[in-house]
Amino acid sequence: MTITPTIVSYLHLCHRKLWLHAHHLRMESTSELVAEGKLIGETTYPQRALKWQELDLGIAKIDFFDPKSNTIHEIKKSNKKSFAHNAQVKYYLYLLHKIGIAEPTAIIEYPKLRITKTVDWDTEEDQDLVESWINQADTIIKGTCPDRLQISKCKKCSYFDFCWSGE
Ligand code: SF4
């Protein structure tokens, strides 16, 4: 199974969500995968598509990449899940480093909050970290469907009805 940046993000949010997504039970089409990032980026910064380029990594597309500085611009709606955003971006940097892009960097932007956060790539430390995430995700996918989180953590999840409709 290919470990995508979405899967790495879900590893940090909910192992059950990761498992469901990896087993093609997809509920996100109208929610975070679409809304976060590209949609916000295009509506908040309409000029960006002209300034920076889309980068297709095969297993993932980076919407806004600055090839002059090797910088990813990742745009998010809210910083409530910033640890997952950070992991997703680290994985992008890992993939860029793997294909030989020198010293890649990312800037996570939260335009509604007027906050930006820079994420750098530390070759040795981050390589081990990201590869441990890949191994963890692979183990989860090969196992049985994990338990639900506490319901209080599920309220805004796109899988809420799937996980909790029988309660
Ligand atoms: S509803 Fe809760 S348990 Fe189910 S996938 Fe979402 S976060 Fe995980």
Side-chain angles (χ1 to χ4, degrees):
M1 170 94 203
T2 302
I3 305 300
T4 63
T6 300
I7 287 177
V8 168
S9 170
Y10 289 176
L11 177 70
H12 293 77
L13 294 173
C14 172
H15 291 180
R16 181 181 173 93
K17 185 170 180 165
L18 183 167
W19 191 95
L20 292 169
H21 175 86
H23 288 83
H24 307 292
L25 283 150
R26 304 282 168 84
M27 305 282 173
E28 310 100 324
S29 61
T30 58
S31 60
E32 65 260 46
L33 281 184
V34 171
E36 284 194 28
K38 192 164 189 177
L39 187 59
I40 299 172
E42 284 172 355
T43 53
T44 312
Y45 306 113
Q47 76 282 15
R48 287 201 167 186
L50 301 173
K51 195 172 165 193
W52 296 325
Q53 66 185 45
E54 186 178 89
L55 189 62
D56 190 347
L57 297 174
I59 62 168
K61 269 190 189 157
I62 293 169
D63 293 327
F64 302 109
F65 180 69
D66 179 355
K68 286 186 187 158
S69 59
N70 292 343
T71 303
I72 297 163
H73 291 263
E74 182 71 17
I75 300 156
K76 298 293 190 189
K77 189 168 53 176
S78 149
N79 66 349
K80 283 191 183 142
K81 300 170 185 170
S82 60
F83 50 94
H85 301 158
N86 196 67
Q88 180 188 352
V89 162
K90 276 280 182 195
Y91 192 52
Y92 284 145
L93 295 177
Y94 171 86
L95 295 171
L96 291 181
H97 183 71
K98 279 261 179 203
I99 60 171
I101 291 184
E103 299 182 14
T105 298
I107 298 174
I108 306 176
E109 305 182 26
Y110 301 97
K112 289 188 175 173
L113 303 172
R114 299 179 187 277
I115 295 172
T116 61
K117 180 181 168 191
T118 301
V119 181
D120 292 319
W121 177 252
D122 179 324
T123 302
E124 287 182 23
E125 198 175 307
D126 286 337
Q127 179 130 343
D128 289 348
L129 181 65
V130 173
E131 285 174 358
S132 79
W133 294 342
I134 293 169
N135 289 334
Q136 281 177 54
D138 194 52
T139 301
I140 291 166
I141 291 164
K142 287 176 179 160
T144 55
C145 184
D147 289 340
R148 297 174 298 196
L149 299 181
Q150 289 177 348
I151 194 168
S152 59
K153 294 185 177 171
C154 299
K155 294 274 166 66
K156 292 191 174 172
C157 178
S158 52
Y159 289 83
F160 184 84
D161 289 344
F162 179 87
C163 290
W164 294 98
S165 62
E167 296 299 308

